[in-house]
Amino acid sequence: MQKVVYVASVAALLWAQPSLAHEGEAGHTHDAGGGPAPPAVQPDGGDPSLNATVEVGGSSTTTTTTTSAGTSQSRPLPNDDPDDDEGASSYRPRTLEDYTWRRRIRDTEDSDDLQLFDPNHFLFELRFGPYWPEVDEDYASPGPYEDFFGTKGRFYFGIEFDWLFLDIPYVLSAGPAFGVGVTRMSGKTRLASDPTQTADKDTNLTIFPMHVSAAVRVDGLVRGLGIPIIPYGKVGFGFAPWRVTGGGANRGSGVSGGLHLALGGSIALNAFDQDAAKTMEADTGIRYAHLFGEWMWANLDKGLNVGTSTFVVGIGLEL
């Protein structure tokens, strides 16, 4: 009996093989009425007269509901992305990038200003003020400088460039500073035979004060709170080439050096309008325009004492 059943099963499989082989072929269709109808989708209260289809586009997914009257309605699928600011009324397909470190970097891009190093932070200054060389500090009064040039302060002009690459957020910026300036004074040449008499030719003293310093600017107030006051300080090494020109033996040149120190404060003009400041930075690269005042002490007493203690003012552009 078992052999009969086995032979019958093999014969049935061989008979059914041609009909199974064409199931996956292109263009194959079943005979009408041969199989059960698929179950109807019943949205909106379970009305069997409604058919629902789902359409998936490149960037949006909606459900389309067709009623028995032939009208259709479309509505978006609920949004399952909690980070989507558009709410549940929109849908954005998730990608692999949303689940990687790239998304974490994207979500923290607003924190880029918390970096400790900003290699593109610069300050350029134009500086003006009176200059009194301290030549007579080493002589009894009246000294040779007063004899030739008097006691009046002479005009000083300088420029300075600061690279403020160290950035402590909401506190300060710091970095190296280099400055160079010039001042010149003239006086009547004294006769060697009679120092009380003057010649027609002038004697000139030209000084080129320079410094290499460490600058610290407490600019957290303006960057964090919009308060436009910036205290600052500088300390470093100063030096000054100088030369004397004029009549007779009153000639010479040299380089003097010593400590350089400065304390001051500036007002960031465009900080009064933060929107204007951002617009100016976007258009020109200038973060702030400053007016500043500074006490400068250049103790250049190694050699001829051509240093000074003075007050300078100026204009600064912060890039």
Side-chain angles (χ1 to χ4, degrees):
M1 183 63 180
Q2 293 180 351
K3 293 182 178 181
V4 173
V5 174
Y6 177 77
V7 172
S9 299
V10 173
L13 290 173
L14 293 176
W15 176 79
Q17 183 178 3
S19 61
L20 294 174
H22 74 287
E23 286 291 337
E25 295 179 0
H28 166 72
T29 58
H30 290 282
D31 295 335
V41 179
Q42 300 179 10
D44 299 331
D47 188 351
S49 65
L50 302 176
N51 295 325
T53 61
V54 177
E55 299 176 357
V56 180
S59 61
S60 64
T61 303
T62 62
T63 59
T64 303
T65 304
T66 305
T67 65
S68 58
T71 62
S72 62
Q73 300 175 348
S74 298
R75 64 175 183 268
L77 288 175
N79 183 6
D80 63 345
D81 187 356
D83 295 333
D84 194 341
D85 294 336
E86 297 180 1
S89 62
S90 64
Y91 177 80
R92 180 179 63 83
R94 292 180 181 271
T95 64
L96 179 61
E97 184 174 309
D98 289 330
Y99 298 94
T100 63
W101 55 270
R102 296 177 185 272
R103 182 178 183 179
R104 292 193 295 272
I105 291 178
R106 181 193 64 195
D107 293 341
T108 58
E109 285 178 348
D110 292 338
S111 300
D112 286 346
D113 58 345
L114 299 180
Q115 297 178 358
L116 292 178
F117 296 93
D118 184 359
N120 299 315
H121 191 186
F122 305 100
L123 179 66
F124 178 77
E125 293 180 347
L126 297 178
R127 308 161 59 81
F128 315 91
Y131 198 99
W132 291 276
E134 297 177 342
V135 176
D136 289 346
E137 292 290 324
D138 300 329
Y139 298 91
S141 181
Y145 178 86
E146 184 177 343
D147 278 344
F148 274 87
F149 307 110
T151 58
K152 183 175 68 174
R154 304 307 169 98
F155 178 73
Y156 162 82
F157 169 75
I159 60 175
E160 183 173 309
F161 181 78
D162 299 0
W163 181 30
L164 305 171
F165 67 88
L166 179 61
D167 181 7
I168 300 178
Y170 310 111
V171 182
L172 57 83
S173 298
F178 174 74
V180 58
V182 61
T183 184
R184 187 171 183 269
M185 51 281 303
S186 297
K188 292 296 184 179
T189 302
R190 301 300 178 93
L191 297 178
S193 58
D194 186 358
T196 61
Q197 300 297 318
T198 60
D200 293 334
K201 193 171 184 180
D202 290 342
T203 296
N204 304 311
L205 171 62
T206 306
I207 307 171
F208 301 93
M210 305 180 189
H211 71 91
V212 177
S213 304
V216 177
R217 298 178 62 85
V218 186
D219 54 5
L221 293 175
V222 65
R223 292 188 295 157
L225 301 177
I227 300 175
I229 300 175
I230 305 175
Y232 66 86
K234 304 167 192 172
V235 60
F237 175 71
F239 57 99
W242 56 269
R243 69 170 181 263
V244 176
T245 59
N250 299 319
R251 297 187 181 187
S253 62
V255 177
S256 302
L259 180 66
H260 179 89
L261 179 66
L263 295 173
S266 68
I267 298 177
L269 300 179
N270 50 329
F272 292 99
D273 187 341
Q274 289 293 329
D275 293 336
K278 293 178 181 178
T279 300
M280 185 173 72
E281 182 177 1
D283 293 342
T284 65
I286 299 174
R287 304 186 188 188
Y288 295 104
H290 300 271
L291 289 178
F292 68 88
E294 172 186 309
W295 170 72
M296 180 180 71
W297 180 52
N299 188 31
L300 309 179
D301 59 353
K302 301 301 187 290
L304 182 66
N305 192 347
V306 294
T308 191
S309 176
T310 187
F311 187 82
V312 298
V313 296
I315 302 171
L317 296 179
E318 184 176 353
L319 308 178

